Amino acid sequence: MLTITHTPTEGTIIDGTSKGDGTAPILKTAGWKWGRSITAWYIPHSRDRAPHLARIEHTAAALRAAGYDVETDIDTTLRDGTDAHHNRNECLTDRAAALAAKAERKATAADAAHARHDHACAALPEGGEPIKVGHHSERRHRRALDRAHTTARAAIEADAAARSAAESARIADHRYTPAVIHRRIERQSAGLRSIERHLTKYRAAGHTAETSNHMHQLELNKAELERDIEYWTAVRAEQDATDGPKLYSRADLRPGCFVNCSGTWHKVIRVNAKSVTVATAYSWTDRLPYDKIADARAEDAHTPIRPGQ
């Protein structure tokens, strides 16, 4: 007997499988992954989330069609947002530390790869001397060129891996920055409005969660989004009420000052409700949302402007 369960703390997992029993191809096709630490198949990112009912039912149907006995045990309740995100933050903190360590290892490996490339290049004849075909040095020269090419490719790949690891570590460590939280709330609010529009259409057509699986899923997703928006809104309110990092707002900026976005400075032409209008090198202007502004300077381009001050 295979049992698919979903709980807020454990997410969606399946019990009863064993190595070589033939379930792996079915579960992989359905988007499940093998968790070595829990020794079970699971649906990624399902902890403290609404259960993905369609995927669960599709998986169960595919397994039954292959001759397996399958039962489901789905808990649709959600934990309090503070508890849910506290546990998630612990996992993300560990992940950020692991990624930082990985980035350091990759940077060390990149330095070593460059050193090997320099050593290989040092073995080449000076001045870019061409290969002397038929000469006793031909084979040695070709081997030296091959080593130089191989180490050059390895150094390039090591640099790319180091940059990727460093960027992953940076992203993992920025979950609680005001700009990231603001964009998350905006994105979740847009998703919530979309769900509410769909639910309104379903209700107008006479459907209910009991008669429509899709409507049931929408209501579960709605509850999840409402919980998360409430949590992140409270986090942002606490940041604004304390001396922690803050976002720039309409009250902080004025025409003539300068703002920095993605490393580039722009002169502010107009201050709007959700963005600033800035000059460009062309005949038109651009708009920059407040959550994209990393720094600001007064009209003299030197005096700093701090958000909330």
Side-chain angles (χ1 to χ4, degrees):
M1 173 67 71
L2 305 180
T3 304
I4 299 176
T5 62
H6 177 90
T7 62
T9 55
E10 299 298 328
T12 308
I13 62 176
I14 182 168
D15 293 317
T17 64
S18 59
K19 187 175 182 180
D21 63 359
T23 58
I26 299 172
L27 294 172
K28 287 181 180 178
T29 301
W32 293 63
K33 289 188 176 181
W34 174 255
R36 287 179 294 178
S37 61
I38 61 175
T39 61
W41 291 90
Y42 70 100
I43 293 180
H45 311 297
S46 57
R47 289 179 179 175
D48 283 308
R49 300 283 179 84
H52 198 304
L53 301 178
R55 182 181 293 185
I56 292 172
E57 289 302 321
H58 172 75
T59 302
L63 290 170
R64 290 182 183 121
Y68 298 94
D69 292 327
V70 183
E71 64 179 10
T72 60
D73 183 11
I74 309 301
D75 181 1
T76 60
T77 59
L78 292 171
R79 287 201 296 168
D80 175 75
T82 301
D83 293 336
H85 286 282
H86 175 72
N87 286 1
R88 189 176 300 174
N89 290 338
E90 289 181 342
C91 294
L92 290 174
T93 299
D94 292 341
R95 180 173 182 268
L99 287 171
K102 179 181 178 181
E104 186 174 349
R105 292 195 304 271
K106 293 293 185 181
T108 302
D111 291 340
H114 280 286
R116 288 192 295 271
H117 177 60
D118 292 340
H119 181 73
C121 289
L124 293 172
E126 295 183 2
E129 180 180 346
I131 297 174
K132 298 176 181 178
V133 179
H135 191 264
H136 66 83
S137 64
E138 178 184 355
R139 292 180 62 186
R140 182 176 68 252
H141 196 162
R142 290 189 184 279
R143 286 196 301 270
L145 284 174
D146 288 341
R147 282 195 297 271
H149 292 158
T150 300
T151 55
R153 286 193 297 270
I156 292 171
E157 292 171 357
D159 275 339
R163 287 195 299 270
S164 176
E167 179 64 11
S168 297
R170 185 191 68 81
I171 292 172
D173 202 34
H174 279 64
R175 190 167 185 250
Y176 272 81
T177 58
V180 171
I181 294 175
H182 175 77
R183 288 193 289 271
R184 185 180 295 120
I185 293 173
E186 291 289 308
R187 183 174 63 253
Q188 290 176 337
S189 297
L192 181 59
R193 291 192 295 271
S194 175
I195 287 175
E196 289 173 339
R197 287 193 297 269
H198 282 88
L199 287 174
T200 299
K201 293 180 181 178
Y202 273 106
R203 294 188 186 106
H207 295 294
T208 65
E210 289 72 24
T211 61
S212 170
N213 289 334
H214 188 210
M215 188 173 180
H216 188 198
Q217 183 71 66
L218 288 174
E219 289 187 342
L220 294 176
N221 294 346
K222 179 175 181 287
E224 178 190 330
L225 284 174
E226 289 173 337
R227 179 202 64 182
D228 287 350
I229 291 171
E230 180 181 2
Y231 171 79
W232 289 116
T233 300
V235 171
R236 280 290 299 118
E238 183 179 357
Q239 288 176 335
D240 287 337
T242 62
D243 294 331
K246 294 178 175 61
L247 284 177
Y248 285 96
S249 68
R250 189 174 191 173
D252 301 317
L253 307 175
R254 53 191 176 272
C257 69
F258 295 85
V259 295
N260 187 295
C261 177
S262 300
T264 302
W265 287 95
H266 307 268
K267 185 174 182 179
V268 176
I269 304 299
R270 186 168 56 255
V271 179
N272 313 301
K274 295 185 177 181
S275 64
V276 291
T277 303
V278 297
T280 69
Y282 308 99
S283 59
W284 58 82
T285 58
D286 276 341
R287 283 196 175 192
L288 300 178
Y290 289 115
D291 60 19
K292 294 291 186 180
I293 298 175
D295 198 0
R297 296 285 185 269
E299 290 82 351
D300 61 5
H302 297 290
T303 305
I305 298 175
R306 301 304 179 197
Q309 298 179 358

